[in-house]
Amino acid sequence: MSQNLNLENIKKEKDGIDVLADIYLHAIFGEIVTPADLERFKWYGIYAQDEKQEYFKLKVPLSLGELNLNQLKILSQISKNFSDDTLIFSSEQKVEFKNLKIYDLPNIFNLLQEVNLKTHFEAGHTIRRVLTCPVNGIDDTQLFDVEPLANKLNDTFIGNKNFSNLPNKLQIAISGYEEGCNVQFIPDISFNATKDVKSKIIFAVKILNKTIGYITPAQVVKTAIALANIYKDFGDRTNSQNSSFEFLVNNWGINKFFDILNSTVNYKIERNLFIKEQIIPRKPRMGINKSKIENQSYIGCKINSSTIQSSNLDNLSSLLEKYSASKIKITHKGNIIILDASSNSANDLAIELEKIDFNPFV
């Protein structure tokens, strides 16, 4: 629907982050959404499924890919009341609803808000929610727990109007493993924990999977802001075919890009530390695994189909409650990991999970 639209003009007329009131007005009056507003609605995860706009889909991005019990129950409720009794766990660590009516969107947004789920910056020319490894914080082979830094990155960028109008999308990843996470594609910017010659934790700064330098943990957020501002200020806005972050980097060359980055921060980005890096991305573990948290295990489950019946999501919630587990993460392949199972009952939980098609035994 956007092939013949000039997105830069659309954004100049109204920023995508400013269309929430318009979404509510369309929900009330039921008028056909203009092509320009349909593009802006993507900033809130809303997409028309058909030309007549009879149905819409909604994508809900998850911070760090995580869902707690209350959130699972609300997602099931939305599926039953407003969708088609199904939802999708996507490989992008998002939950997707289909066959929604536009007049139901305010009620859906209210339900999501109750459990701190938000859709803004789902798409559009924004910075996406940062990607992390699904077992971050619970795997004892990890060098560094990046959750506090990931939360700071999300707090810095998501919903921030200074970063709601980039030349195109920008995806950041952060990992507590030096080899990074297996996220199925190459993020624009990655920060991977490693150790210097004195065994101090530092982060490799990767641009399109090429390491350009090393920084301290305290410099991660500042470096991410500097990188985002470079893209915002210098990315191509005249030709949509050349608007990606990748095009800017390749057009300048990595050395010029590094020089400009280094000139915009008030600390030195170390370029050559002669660290031998691991290159095979770390994959989430399926099955029952010992957690670094005492007396807990995490259970990786393969899902046969990304489309999940709301009744089966209810079954999952009931099992989590039965076994005193409280949260899951969606992996980068659309599977799930139960984060906080009791080690004493993890095998019993795994057996019951297999019966409802969340299979740990793969």
Side-chain angles (χ1 to χ4, degrees):
M1 291 184 182
S2 62
Q3 289 181 348
N4 298 320
L5 297 176
N6 187 316
L7 292 181
E8 284 303 315
N9 287 340
I10 287 172
K11 291 185 294 180
K12 286 178 183 177
E13 291 168 4
K14 181 180 288 187
D15 195 301
I17 201 64
D18 291 333
V19 299
L20 186 59
D22 297 324
I23 294 169
Y24 278 70
L25 284 173
H26 280 287
I28 293 169
F29 295 108
E31 297 176 350
I32 292 293
V33 185
T34 66
D37 271 341
L38 278 178
E39 287 300 318
R40 297 185 190 102
F41 281 16
K42 293 176 183 178
W43 266 246
Y44 283 87
I46 299 167
Y47 302 78
Q49 285 182 214
D50 56 88
E51 293 292 336
K52 293 183 179 180
Q53 300 181 16
E54 292 186 11
Y55 294 101
F56 289 79
K57 64 182 176 181
L58 179 69
K59 295 183 180 182
V60 184
L62 307 177
S63 291
L64 312 191
E66 188 170 313
L67 287 167
N68 60 38
L69 260 174
N70 288 335
Q71 291 169 334
L72 285 170
K73 291 176 180 179
I74 287 295
L75 293 176
S76 176
Q77 182 181 338
I78 291 171
S79 176
K80 292 172 185 173
N81 294 347
F82 306 110
S83 185
D84 55 3
D85 266 350
T86 67
L87 49 78
I88 295 170
F89 282 177
S90 82
S91 58
E92 300 172 312
Q93 293 187 303
K94 299 175 184 178
V95 174
E96 183 175 327
F97 297 100
K98 291 186 175 181
N99 301 322
L100 304 175
K101 293 292 190 179
I102 195 167
Y103 53 73
D104 287 323
L105 287 174
N107 287 329
I108 294 170
F109 281 142
N110 288 340
L111 286 169
L112 292 172
Q113 180 69 32
E114 286 180 13
V115 290
N116 199 31
L117 290 173
K118 300 173 183 177
T119 65
H120 61 310
F121 277 44
E122 184 279 323
H125 293 180
T126 64
I127 298 178
R128 305 293 200 263
R129 283 157 182 78
V130 66
L131 299 174
T132 61
C133 303
V135 294
N136 176 74
I138 56 176
D139 177 17
D140 59 8
T141 69
Q142 187 180 38
L143 294 177
F144 190 84
D145 182 354
V146 300
E147 182 172 340
L149 281 175
N151 286 333
K152 285 182 180 178
L153 287 167
N154 281 332
D155 290 344
T156 297
F157 292 121
I158 304 304
N160 185 339
K161 198 167 183 178
N162 290 327
F163 300 102
S164 66
N165 180 6
L166 303 180
N168 210 312
K169 68 177 182 179
L170 188 68
Q171 183 68 69
I172 299 173
I174 186 167
S175 174
Y177 303 103
E178 56 188 353
E179 61 267 47
C181 307
N182 185 17
V183 299
Q184 307 302 301
F185 65 92
I186 296 174
D188 298 305
I189 300 163
S190 300
F191 301 99
N192 291 355
T194 186
K195 290 183 177 180
D196 66 12
V197 293
K198 297 180 180 179
S199 293
K200 287 183 60 177
I201 294 293
I202 55 174
F203 277 85
V205 182
K206 290 195 170 189
I207 303 300
L208 307 175
N209 213 33
K210 179 178 178 60
T211 300
I212 65 166
Y214 298 89
I215 56 175
T216 68
Q219 294 165 344
V220 166
V221 175
K222 293 177 182 178
T223 304
I225 292 171
L227 288 164
N229 279 326
I230 289 171
Y231 179 45
K232 181 175 71 171
D233 293 340
F234 297 104
D236 193 329
R237 295 178 182 268
T238 62
N239 183 344
S240 61
Q241 300 300 314
N242 300 335
S243 63
S244 69
F245 181 79
E246 180 179 8
F247 182 87
L248 173 65
V249 174
N250 291 337
N251 188 46
W252 279 358
I254 201 71
N255 289 328
K256 177 180 176 180
F257 189 91
F258 174 83
D259 290 341
I260 291 175
L261 170 62
N262 213 25
S263 70
T264 62
V265 295
N266 60 359
Y267 47 87
K268 183 180 180 182
I269 298 175
E270 298 290 344
R271 193 156 195 187
N272 296 306
L273 293 185
F274 304 104
I275 294 173
K276 184 179 180 181
E277 295 179 338
Q278 300 289 335
I279 59 173
I280 300 176
R282 183 65 61 101
K283 298 180 179 180
R285 296 173 180 83
M286 296 291 101
I288 302 171
N289 302 272
K290 184 179 179 181
S291 171
K292 67 183 289 185
I293 300 172
E294 190 174 359
N295 300 321
Q296 287 190 3
S297 297
Y298 60 93
I299 306 175
C301 302
K302 186 172 179 59
I303 301 176
N304 292 330
S305 172
S306 60
T307 300
I308 299 170
Q309 297 288 329
S310 56
S311 58
N312 216 31
L313 195 64
D314 292 339
N315 292 335
L316 175 62
S317 297
S318 295
L319 280 182
L320 295 179
E321 287 186 307
K322 177 180 177 180
Y323 287 93
S324 300
S326 65
K327 52 190 176 181
I328 69 169
K329 279 194 179 182
I330 298 177
T331 75
H332 301 297
K333 287 188 176 181
N335 295 309
I336 70 164
I337 295 177
I338 295 164
L339 300 178
D340 56 349
S342 169
S343 295
N344 291 334
S345 57
N347 191 64
D348 293 337
L349 172 55
I351 291 170
E352 293 206 52
L353 286 165
E354 185 183 26
K355 293 176 182 177
I356 62 169
D357 295 324
F358 294 95
N359 187 8
F361 303 112
V362 290

